Structures are given as structure tokens and as C-alpha cells.
Amino acid sequence: MNRSLLAMCRRRFARRQWCTCAAKCPAASYTSTSVRLFQDQTSSSANMSRGLPKKWPIAGVDHVVLVASGKGGVGKSTTAVNLALALGLAQNNVSVGLLDADIYGPSIPKMMNIYGQPELTKQNMMKPLVNYGIKCMSMGFLVDENSPIVWRGLMVMQAVERLIRQVQWGPLDILVIDMPPGTGDTQLSLSQLIPVNGAIIVSTPQDIALMDVRRGVEMFKKVDIPVLIFCLILLVFNLSTPQLCRYLVLFKT
């Protein structure tokens, strides 16, 4: 077979056309194999796009705000609780809920001083526990306080989805979600499952904490969640009294 025919066969492949030569054509195997690989990659990409979950709003919830940080122990849960209480105690009668999305280390039951197991409705939906007028739901209500949760990522994502879909949240004006540290399965699941109005990023001024915060901000940009406020918590130790004073400095982004 001459070179001109071989070049023509390869040009056909470049235009995603099948080679029409006989089976003896040296480009036939090259063309069929390459096209088959291209079709496999195309179908795989299509399956992945079809496999992404659709975003459905939480029934009865008008707005969702995430309180997140890249580093643990920076005051994220404290900020989430204070934000929910401040919104709930506002004089414009705003109904607020608080979801503890930290499956491995739930802290909302302790911080909200609320314990017990949620009741079930006739529709097999969990009723949030209420304290200070705030509807609360946490993994800490479903497991023993001293029991570790040793789960893989898939089970964590399923648990997060159940805390969203199988809880009778509504009617709520705002749902504040206390996120776990990092940029892992929970963050990705929430960004894919529900529409989020914005995120509040919490950090301390140390360089190590700020490094992780930058990663968290970039993650929210990639999943199209606007960062509403950057909250910097300054820890100041007063030598005259054995107290640790906290000051909140808010920066609008």
C-alpha cells in the first residue's frame, strides 16, 4: 500500500471517520483501535456527567449558609452557633436551623446543650431537636457520645445526605451548616446535592491555618459557592487574668 493511501486513511481518522479500505490496509487496525479508544473515553465522560447528582433544594428551607474552614480548631463551630443564635434572636422573627455536618467529630450537641435522640414522624422523617429556638440536627444525636465513627467516604456522604433529606427542617428561613475541616467528601457532597447561597470562612491568623484556608476558598470557587465573609479569630492572652479572650474581625469578600 502506498503512502498517499495511508495518509488518506489517517486523515479520515482525524475527522472521526471510519477507514473504508480493505482489511489489508495497514491503517485499518490503527484507525479502528484509535476510534474505539476515543468512543470509550467519550462514553465514559458521558456516564460521569450523567452520574452527577442534581441539586435539589431542602424542603422548606429558603437559604443555606455554610460555615467552613480549612483547619480544625479555629473556632468554626463557635462561629456557626453564635451566627445561628444571633439570627434566631433577631427581632425580625427569622426561623433558623443548625446542621452539624461534621460526621466524625460532632460538637453541636455540646455547644447547644442539647441531648437525646430525634423523634420520627409518620413519614419516617426525623424531627430536629430544638433549643434556644434553633432547630438542630447532628450525628451526635444518633450515636453514643464516646463511640467513634469509623466510616469510609461513601458512608459519610450517605450520612450527610440523610441529615439533609430525611430531616423535617421546614419551614426555615436560614439553615446554617457547620462544616468539617478540610476539603473532603462532605464539602463535595453538599456542593453537589443542594444549592448554597454562600459560605463563611473562619480562620486564626497563623500562617499554617491561613494556608489551609486558601485551599478552602479555592475549593468553594471551583464548586461555584460564593464566599460571603472571611472571619479572622484573634486569640489574645491576657497575662493579668487566666483567661483567653477572643475577638472576631469580619472581612467582607
Side-chain angles (χ1 to χ4, degrees):
M1 182 178 182
N2 57 30
R3 294 183 179 180
S4 59
L5 183 58
L6 180 61
M8 181 187 67
C9 293
R10 290 181 175 173
R11 285 196 299 271
R12 287 178 178 271
F13 167 70
R15 294 193 297 268
R16 309 303 183 207
Q17 297 176 353
W18 289 95
C19 179
T20 57
C21 299
K24 296 181 180 181
C25 173
S29 59
Y30 165 80
T31 306
S32 59
T33 302
S34 302
V35 170
R36 187 166 59 250
L37 290 175
F38 171 76
Q39 291 178 338
D40 291 343
Q41 293 175 357
T42 304
S43 60
S44 176
S45 300
N47 291 333
M48 287 179 63
S49 62
R50 286 196 300 267
L52 291 176
K54 293 184 178 180
K55 289 186 179 183
W56 295 101
I58 305 174
V61 178
D62 295 336
H63 302 89
V64 177
V65 176
L66 308 181
V67 180
S69 67
K71 178 71 70 175
V74 297
K76 169 180 50 60
S77 297
T78 303
T79 304
V81 169
N82 288 334
L83 176 63
L85 290 173
L87 292 172
L89 296 177
Q91 296 182 359
N92 51 358
N93 296 322
V94 176
S95 57
V96 182
L98 181 59
L99 171 60
D100 189 354
D102 194 346
I103 303 299
Y104 295 116
S107 57
I108 295 303
K110 182 71 173 179
M111 303 190 72
M112 290 294 292
N113 192 26
I114 183 170
Y115 302 95
Q117 293 185 348
E119 298 178 355
L120 295 178
T121 65
K122 294 181 180 179
Q123 293 78 23
N124 204 28
M125 300 281 287
M126 291 184 290
K127 292 183 179 180
L129 277 67
V130 181
N131 198 13
Y132 308 112
I134 307 298
K135 294 182 179 180
C136 303
M137 180 53 62
S138 171
M139 197 68 190
F141 299 148
L142 307 176
V143 298
D144 186 76
E145 183 179 0
N146 298 320
S147 298
I149 300 176
V150 188
W151 288 353
R152 295 185 183 274
L154 181 60
M155 297 183 65
V156 173
M157 291 188 288
Q158 292 175 350
V160 171
E161 186 172 5
R162 289 179 180 178
L163 291 177
I164 294 174
R165 304 297 184 193
Q166 296 184 7
V167 176
Q168 195 176 45
W169 286 110
L172 278 183
D173 294 315
I174 301 175
L175 177 62
V176 179
I177 301 182
D178 180 22
M179 301 289 288
T183 57
D185 296 321
T186 302
Q187 287 81 354
L188 183 60
S189 297
L190 287 174
S191 65
Q192 293 178 343
L193 289 174
I194 58 175
V196 178
N197 297 94
I200 297 175
I201 307 297
V202 182
S203 178
T204 53
Q206 287 78 15
D207 290 340
I208 296 299
L210 292 174
M211 287 171 56
D212 293 335
V213 164
R214 293 187 185 96
R215 298 188 186 100
V217 172
E218 290 300 320
M219 178 206 66
F220 284 122
K221 289 181 179 179
K222 289 183 178 180
V223 296
D224 297 327
I225 294 179
V227 177
L228 303 177
I229 295 175
F230 176 73
C231 178
L232 182 64
I233 297 183
L234 303 178
L235 303 179
V236 180
F237 184 71
N238 190 348
L239 296 178
S240 61
T241 58
Q243 295 178 349
L244 191 64
C245 303
R246 289 173 179 248
Y247 298 89
L248 296 181
V249 183
L250 300 182
F251 299 95
K252 291 186 178 180
T253 59

